Amino acid sequence: MDSMTIIKDIIYMIIMALALPLTKCLVDLTKYSADLFRAKISQISVNVKEETLNRYIKFAENAICKAVVSVNQTYVESLKASGNFNEDAQKEAKEKAMTIAKQLITKDIKEAITMVYGDFDSYLDATVETIVNENK
């Protein structure tokens, strides 16, 4: 055997000895990269979902605020001016505001609020009360 054949054989044995561990490393690296990619996609999905929920809730709050202000301007102010704004009128004003808000808020937003807060009507009731108290 000449020296060139011996060198070729040694190089071949080194390559063969490294091929299996390198292949395993590449497989592991590919799996890790895929797992990392899936986790990143999942995080992006969560962020998008949270942003959408926040936009929906903000839209609902704006709609409820508009409803309260509208009822205040068209109903409450005139009753207060005439001295007829009593407990029954307060309940009626609240019902009017809740009805208007329900008309302004889309089905998707109602579903999102239900998902976050558990019950849309309870959320609406509490938010109407909060806005009325803030505007006193």
Side-chain angles (χ1 to χ4, degrees), residues 66-77:
K66 286 178 183 177
V68 169
V69 169
S70 173
V71 170
N72 189 53
Q73 290 175 341
T74 60
Y75 180 72
V76 173
E77 286 179 359

Side-chain angles (χ1 to χ4, degrees), residues 103-119:
Q103 292 169 348
L104 293 174
I105 298 171
T106 66
K107 180 184 174 208
D108 289 341
I109 293 173
K110 288 176 185 173
E111 289 173 0
I113 288 170
T114 300
M115 187 173 68
V116 173
Y117 293 102
D119 180 53

Side-chain angles (χ1 to χ4, degrees), residues 34-121:
D35 289 345
L36 185 63
F37 182 70
R38 275 193 288 280
K40 195 65 173 168
I41 292 293
S42 178
Q43 182 61 41
I44 290 169
S45 176
V46 166
N47 289 345
V48 167
K49 188 174 182 180
E50 286 176 4
E51 288 174 15
T52 301
L53 287 174
N54 288 336
R55 272 188 307 216
Y56 281 0
I57 290 168
K58 188 69 174 168
F59 180 88
E61 288 171 354
N62 288 336
I64 296 166
C65 189
K66 286 178 183 177
V68 169
V69 169
S70 173
V71 170
N72 189 53
Q73 290 175 341
T74 60
Y75 180 72
V76 173
E77 286 179 359
S78 63
L79 288 176
K80 283 183 176 180
S82 66
N84 294 323
F85 192 68
N86 56 26
E87 190 173 323
D88 289 335
Q90 285 178 335
K91 288 178 185 176
E92 180 68 21
K94 182 177 179 180
E95 286 302 315
K96 286 178 183 265
M98 290 179 68
T99 299
I100 292 169
K102 284 179 182 179
Q103 292 169 348
L104 293 174
I105 298 171
T106 66
K107 180 184 174 208
D108 289 341
I109 293 173
K110 288 176 185 173
E111 289 173 0
I113 288 170
T114 300
M115 187 173 68
V116 173
Y117 293 102
D119 180 53
F120 175 76
D121 289 329

